[in-house]
Amino acid sequence: MSVPEFTVIQTDDGPGVTYVCGCPCTPTARPDDDGTAGHEHGCCGKVHFVGRDAATRLSTYLEERKSRRKREPDYESGAATIEFAGAPVPVAWAFPRE
């Protein structure tokens, strides 16, 4: 699996970080007002976090899901940085393994 190319887009709620998912949705996440990572879990099971502590929050999120769900997939994950609102911001992603 290749690393997704993240871009910043303008939405009705302000700027957000997205990628080309391959399905009809436009998965968009943005940091919370205090800079803490916000996330989006798309319709096809792909998830990404954007903001402070993105990788840690992603890891915790996936661990919690796996503990609550009987059929949670294994994920391939990674991290990147994107320019967001004039500053570098961490992005962490996890996509179900096929």
Side-chain angles (χ1 to χ4, degrees):
M1 175 177 287
S2 62
V3 175
E5 184 178 332
F6 292 98
T7 58
V8 177
I9 62 170
Q10 202 55 291
T11 73
D12 292 341
D13 297 324
V17 176
T18 191
Y19 56 92
V20 175
C21 182
C23 66
C25 69
T26 305
T28 307
R30 63 188 51 76
D32 292 338
D33 290 339
D34 67 357
T36 303
H39 79 284
E40 171 81 15
H41 199 135
C43 64
C44 56
K46 298 175 182 177
V47 61
H48 72 293
F49 279 72
V50 177
R52 187 177 63 248
D53 299 324
T56 301
R57 290 181 55 103
L58 172 66
S59 178
T60 300
Y61 174 80
L62 292 176
E63 287 172 13
E64 289 174 357
R65 281 182 64 91
K66 196 153 196 116
S67 72
R68 291 190 323 262
R69 299 168 61 103
K70 291 181 180 181
R71 292 182 148 187
E72 187 66 9
D74 290 324
Y75 289 89
E76 180 174 339
S77 60
T81 303
I82 189 166
E83 187 79 16
F84 185 84
V89 174
V91 177
W93 56 271
F95 294 174
R97 288 193 177 118
E98 296 179 12

